Amino acid sequence: MRLFLLLALTFSTLNINAKLLDKIAAVVDDHIITKSMIDRVKKSLPIRQNISPFIYKQENFTDKEIAELFIRKFIIRSTLAEQGYVISDATVEKEIKRKEQRLGLSRADLISFLKKNNTNFNEFFELNKEAIEFNHFNSVVIIPLISVSEQEIKNEFFKQNVNNKTVSYRYTLVDFSIDPSIVPKSKYAHFRKSMQSFQKGGPLPNEYGSIETSTLGDITADGLTEKLQRLLNKTQEGEFTQPIEMMGATHIFYVKTRDVVESSLYQQSKPQIRAKIYERKAKEVTKMWFEREKSNHYVKTY
């Protein structure tokens, strides 16, 4: 009896020490994320990047970043469950079999491959489940929040080709001109700020009451001075140029429209530019969504 009690106490002490050694890194609702779980991710990072490159995007992760990935996974799973979408084991198994067939692997071959890559079938199963959940979450939650306008694509194209002399533009400009004694160079910044406010519906300061306006349509770069071309190259559609002194007056131009004269390069570039803008927005939207959604969950990091 004494021997039994001694053994029981010994195993209990070992178990307590084992739990103490496996530190808690974070908690999300009723899920505990431990240091050993984070270490497992680090050891199996290459295969995770292969299965879920859209989740494990970086070459290396800190412990804090991996803990955040776990937190996101559990929040995604909870969100999808609230919407009635739960990934069954059969769905995951079907996805794994599809991969085996595509790669020409038997289950034994797959398990052997996983072992060589510092993981096992159970972990591989969970990774595939996580990938399916993330893809569905991205489709039903994130993508509807993102839109990329034609104007954003055009602006990005102009930025990329600001020094490309083979690209020619066609403008519709609104020219505001005034006597240079009223707007000398020292007042250029104030003048531009006032015109920006005026364009948005604000009052025009009395000192600029003598300003004259004319619209210049279908203007190409060939018909502009080199100095004005440089100003327009730095100005997006829907913005004002910096003031410039021309023909005895101070001018400031509102770029009403700007289009590419030869649109073949623009049309070829659009898909890549759209994808670039979408990726940037997706990161921002996803980050904000999780920051907001965390308030609906118990999340604690250590």
Side-chain angles (χ1 to χ4, degrees):
M1 183 65 178
R2 288 181 179 178
L3 180 60
F4 175 79
L5 289 173
L6 179 61
L7 288 171
L9 288 170
T10 300
F11 284 119
S12 177
T13 303
L14 288 171
N15 189 42
I16 291 170
N17 287 336
K19 287 183 178 179
L20 289 174
L21 287 171
D22 194 3
K23 295 179 180 178
I24 295 175
V27 175
V28 50
D29 296 331
D30 57 349
H31 302 284
I32 296 175
I33 301 160
T34 64
K35 182 67 166 62
S36 64
M37 291 166 67
I38 291 172
D39 291 339
R40 281 295 307 152
V41 171
K42 287 183 175 180
K43 288 179 181 178
S44 59
L45 191 55
I47 197 166
R48 289 173 181 271
Q49 291 168 329
N50 182 270
I51 297 169
S52 303
F54 36 81
I55 297 175
Y56 300 94
K57 297 178 180 180
Q58 300 169 202
E59 186 175 344
N60 295 295
F61 289 86
T62 64
D63 287 8
K64 184 178 179 181
E65 288 170 336
I66 294 173
E68 180 62 27
L69 291 179
F70 274 110
I71 291 169
R72 290 189 173 195
K73 178 178 78 170
F74 291 126
I75 289 178
I76 287 172
R77 190 164 291 175
S78 173
T79 300
L80 295 181
E82 289 173 2
Q83 297 178 358
Y85 185 83
V86 179
I87 300 293
S88 67
D89 289 352
T91 300
V92 181
E93 179 64 29
K94 184 178 179 181
E95 174 62 17
I96 291 174
K97 285 182 177 178
R98 188 184 66 80
K99 289 180 178 178
E100 288 174 337
Q101 291 173 357
R102 190 180 76 242
L103 298 171
L105 297 174
S106 66
R107 182 57 54 91
D109 292 333
L110 176 62
I111 291 173
S112 176
F113 171 77
L114 294 174
K115 187 176 181 180
K116 290 177 183 177
N117 285 272
N118 298 314
T119 187
N120 54 53
F121 185 78
N122 288 338
E123 196 167 42
F124 182 70
F125 189 95
E126 177 63 22
L127 278 173
N128 278 275
K129 182 177 182 178
E130 180 183 3
I132 295 170
E133 287 174 334
F134 183 88
N135 283 333
H136 187 76
F137 161 78
N138 200 48
S139 297
V140 301
V141 176
I142 300 300
I143 289 178
L145 300 176
I146 302 171
S147 63
V148 179
S149 69
E150 188 75 16
Q151 187 59 55
E152 288 175 304
I153 296 173
K154 284 168 64 177
N155 287 345
E156 185 65 29
F157 175 82
F158 296 146
K159 285 180 184 178
Q160 293 178 4
N161 292 276
V162 66
N163 295 316
N164 188 346
K165 294 182 180 180
T166 65
V167 178
S168 182
Y169 303 112
R170 179 180 289 108
Y171 300 92
T172 298
L173 306 173
V174 181
D175 177 16
F176 297 88
S177 60
I178 195 167
D179 192 287
S181 64
I182 299 173
V183 185
K185 289 185 178 180
S186 60
K187 288 190 175 183
Y188 275 8
H190 178 265
F191 180 48
R192 185 169 186 258
K193 189 175 180 180
S194 298
M195 294 308 298
Q196 289 170 333
S197 175
F198 175 65
Q199 183 66 27
K200 294 175 182 177
L204 184 69
N206 291 333
E207 59 186 306
Y208 303 140
S210 61
I211 199 166
E212 296 181 0
T213 306
S214 62
T215 300
L216 310 174
D218 201 27
I219 300 295
T220 61
D222 296 336
L224 303 173
T225 65
E226 187 176 339
K227 189 174 181 181
L228 182 53
Q229 283 185 44
R230 288 199 300 270
L231 275 182
L232 290 171
N233 282 342
K234 298 175 183 178
T235 310
Q236 299 291 356
E237 186 172 301
E239 296 181 356
F240 279 94
T241 65
Q242 294 292 337
I244 182 174
E245 190 169 330
M246 297 169 51
M247 298 173 289
T250 297
H251 297 256
I252 188 168
F253 295 90
Y254 177 73
V255 181
K256 193 171 183 179
T257 64
R258 175 165 73 165
D259 294 298
V260 184
V261 174
E262 289 295 333
S263 60
S264 58
L265 177 60
Y266 175 63
Q267 293 300 329
Q268 292 170 7
S269 303
K270 277 179 70 174
Q272 293 87 351
I273 294 174
R274 183 185 296 277
K276 180 181 177 181
I277 296 173
Y278 176 85
E279 184 179 1
R280 183 174 67 240
K281 283 191 169 187
K283 288 180 181 178
E284 295 170 356
V285 169
T286 302
K287 181 181 179 181
M288 289 188 293
W289 187 90
F290 277 110
E291 287 177 354
R292 185 174 63 250
E293 188 63 22
K294 277 183 180 180
S295 63
N296 298 321
H297 298 264
Y298 175 79
V299 178
K300 177 72 174 177
T301 56
Y302 298 91

